[in-house]
Amino acid sequence: MNTATLLSLAAYFVGMIAIGLYAWRRSTADSEGYLLAGRNLPPSVAALSAGASDMSGWLLLGLPGALYLTGLSAAWIGIGLFAGAVVNWIVVAPRLRAQTEEYGNALTIPQFLANRFPDQGTNLRVISAIVIVVFFTVYTAAGLVGGGKLFETAFAGALPNTGLSDYMLGIVITAGIVLAYTMVGGFLAVSLTDFVQGIIMVLALIIMPLVVMFDTGGAGVSLAQVPVDGFLSLTEGLTLLGFVSAVTWGLGYFGQPHIIVRFMAIDTVANVAKARWIGLSWMAVALIGAVGVGICGRAYAQANGIEVEDAETIFIVLAELLFHPAITGFLFAALLAAIMSTISSQLLVSSSSLTEDFYRLFLRKEAGEREAVNVGRICVALVAIAAVVLANDPDSEVLGLVANAWAGFGAAFGPLIILSLVWKGHDGHGMTGAGAVAGLVTGAVVTGGWITLGLNADLGGGEGLYEIVPGFIAAWIAIVAVSRLTQPQDNLSTNAK
């Protein structure tokens, strides 16, 4: 491995830890500072933090890999995601920012739900915290798999002999750096590093397709040589179930705690609109760039006789082949940025649920602010260790793991968050606590059952249906039906709005 590449990565790691130390001095004195940065994020930081924590390693590994294998038809995943993000910023963001402060200054999603439906407060906090910790452990493992694949592919034989494989050493290094700045600096560190990482990611996704296209013998020459019928068609080989499974990824946005918590931290409700335009512009460029990496990467590999054993590593392969070692280091830093920005957010949200919705609810109700912050740091480490254990299989697919976790959150929390924000009767309780519990449990169970029974879509072209669809629909129906049955008699005529 070239020294310039290693120095670029080392500079990136040092920068992330420096940001963590800065945040530690600024906003870790109490729980609101550690978990939400005091609700004082500028719109630009909130927007790029939401985008970077959303996209994760699948943006540079999973999505380009899917496009590399199946062609442009896989782009419907990105199209569905963008549509979902637009609705999320318009419907959820301003309401959640206002109502989490209105309902008892809630610091976590479970807290907000408990304050919104006090008759089922304990049940909602416990169940939602369990769902968050379980699915985020899987989601975090998906990010660590991306880190392992980077080190296994790009640093084979260049790492010191520690008794671990290059894959496992990559996982340990990735987890260690994330833990360093997340445990120390909390939400502000995560948000500021996300902001920097978001800029690095989008620059890499602009640079790489352009370099591939204009490289001698690159995509401009070889696109027509890809021997796959319909490779550049949006509809080739796409079944109805495949189309629905792809575009409904967008439904997941409404229930992703690590994304919507950014809405809670924006400095003012008025700045949500500004953050929306910044975030959606960033997302559009990033998704187009990821599509370009997959399509142009396949064309380049085909034209130059390059065999890519794992399609999800096409970004890494191109970075090593086409760029100066110093730039390669920057591109690897972009991949790590995508991975680490999401992992840090997920660890912090999981930690907040364990601290606020278990420790302070059942074990130490009288725990002070400093104690709560320290317990939160311990919980960050515990969830990270569990994710490292789950990620130890080098054959794991990033997109598959992300798909399962994304669906779990989207179905369990999506309908619940939307309806809790917009459905209120004349007495303020059109949606009831019992309906909220029913939707949360139904969404999680139906999604998990769909996966267990093997009815979910194979992203490589299977005939199943993406599990978020039945889970989301079932949860929505459960919330409405149970709320109708359990609300006060004089509220039965209230309609969901």
Side-chain angles (χ1 to χ4, degrees), residues 108-167:
T108 68
I109 294 300
Q111 265 188 356
F112 163 66
L113 295 172
N115 294 346
R116 172 73 171 82
F117 305 104
D119 60 315
Q120 293 288 337
T122 300
N123 290 333
L124 283 169
R125 288 184 74 169
V126 172
I127 296 170
S128 57
I130 290 172
V131 172
I132 284 173
V133 173
V134 170
F135 280 114
F136 265 153
T137 302
V138 175
Y139 212 149
T140 301
L144 293 177
V145 168
K149 286 189 175 187
L150 169 62
F151 281 83
E152 181 182 43
T153 304
F155 299 92
L159 298 173
N161 184 9
T162 61
L164 298 174
S165 65
D166 289 339
Y167 174 81

Side-chain angles (χ1 to χ4, degrees), residues 14-28 180-182 184-186 189 193:
V14 171
M16 296 301 100
I17 294 174
I19 291 173
L21 291 172
Y22 168 80
W24 168 63
R25 296 176 62 87
R26 286 288 304 273
S27 69
T28 60
Y181 69 76
T182 304
V184 170
T193 52

Side-chain angles (χ1 to χ4, degrees), residues 354-393:
L354 287 171
T355 303
E356 298 294 324
D357 305 313
F358 279 115
Y359 186 78
R360 295 184 100 175
L361 187 62
F362 296 112
L363 301 179
R364 287 271 293 171
K365 293 183 180 180
E366 70 281 8
E369 292 298 315
R370 175 54 58 189
E371 179 182 345
V373 170
N374 288 333
V375 170
R377 289 182 170 128
I378 294 171
C379 291
V380 166
L382 292 176
V383 175
I385 291 170
V388 168
V389 173
L390 282 178
N392 66 2
D393 179 8

Side-chain angles (χ1 to χ4, degrees), residues 47-387:
L48 264 65
S49 180
S53 62
D54 158 24
M55 288 303 175
S56 76
W58 82 272
L59 182 67
L60 284 82
L61 294 175
L63 185 58
L67 283 147
Y68 183 95
L69 288 175
T70 64
L72 199 57
S73 60
W76 284 109
I77 296 175
I79 295 171
L81 283 170
F82 187 79
V86 171
V87 178
N88 202 29
W89 273 104
I90 293 173
V91 175
V92 175
R95 292 172 173 83
L96 190 66
R97 174 61 182 85
Q99 292 187 32
T100 49
E101 195 166 21
E102 174 188 341
Y103 285 98
N105 195 34
L107 303 181
T108 68
I109 294 300
Q111 265 188 356
F112 163 66
L113 295 172
N115 294 346
R116 172 73 171 82
F117 305 104
D119 60 315
Q120 293 288 337
T122 300
N123 290 333
L124 283 169
R125 288 184 74 169
V126 172
I127 296 170
S128 57
I130 290 172
V131 172
I132 284 173
V133 173
V134 170
F135 280 114
F136 265 153
T137 302
V138 175
Y139 212 149
T140 301
L144 293 177
V145 168
K149 286 189 175 187
L150 169 62
F151 281 83
E152 181 182 43
T153 304
F155 299 92
L159 298 173
N161 184 9
T162 61
L164 298 174
S165 65
D166 289 339
Y167 174 81
M168 278 306 300
L169 187 56
I171 286 176
V172 171
I173 292 174
T174 303
I177 298 296
V178 173
L179 279 174
Y181 69 76
T182 304
M183 290 178 66
V184 170
F187 190 85
L188 181 60
V190 169
S191 298
L192 291 176
T193 52
D194 284 352
F195 177 78
V196 175
Q197 290 163 336
I199 294 173
I200 294 173
M201 288 161 61
V202 81
L203 286 175
L205 287 167
I206 292 172
I207 292 169
M208 182 167 285
L210 290 177
V211 170
V212 174
M213 289 175 66
F214 293 105
D215 180 75
T216 303
V221 173
S222 62
L223 278 177
Q225 300 172 16
V226 178
V228 180
D229 292 338
F231 188 76
L232 297 180
S233 169
L234 277 169
T235 58
E236 181 68 25
L238 190 66
T239 65
L240 178 60
L241 281 179
F243 172 77
V244 172
S245 293
V247 297
T248 50
W249 273 64
L251 292 176
Y253 269 110
F254 315 118
Q256 305 299 320
H258 63 301
I259 298 173
I260 61 179
V261 72
R262 266 67 186 169
F263 304 156
M264 297 162 58
I266 297 175
D267 51 9
T268 65
V269 177
N271 274 335
V272 170
K274 185 183 296 185
R276 177 174 69 235
W277 289 114
I278 295 172
L280 291 176
S281 298
W282 179 93
M283 184 179 183
V285 174
L287 286 172
I288 292 171
V291 170
V293 170
I295 295 296
C296 295
R298 176 63 180 271
Y300 187 90
Q302 195 70 46
N304 293 279
I306 300 168
E307 184 177 349
V308 180
E309 293 183 5
D310 183 349
E312 289 192 340
T313 64
I314 183 60
F315 181 91
I316 301 171
V317 172
L318 292 174
E320 290 188 304
L321 287 174
L322 296 175
F323 296 88
H324 183 277
I327 304 300
T328 300
F330 170 80
L331 295 172
F332 287 166
L335 176 52
L336 283 171
I339 293 166
M340 293 164 64
S341 60
T342 302
I343 291 175
S344 60
S345 300
Q346 293 161 347
L347 290 177
L348 194 63
V349 172
S350 300
S351 167
S352 68
S353 287
L354 287 171
T355 303
E356 298 294 324
D357 305 313
F358 279 115
Y359 186 78
R360 295 184 100 175
L361 187 62
F362 296 112
L363 301 179
R364 287 271 293 171
K365 293 183 180 180
E366 70 281 8
E369 292 298 315
R370 175 54 58 189
E371 179 182 345
V373 170
N374 288 333
V375 170
R377 289 182 170 128
I378 294 171
C379 291
V380 166
L382 292 176
V383 175
I385 291 170

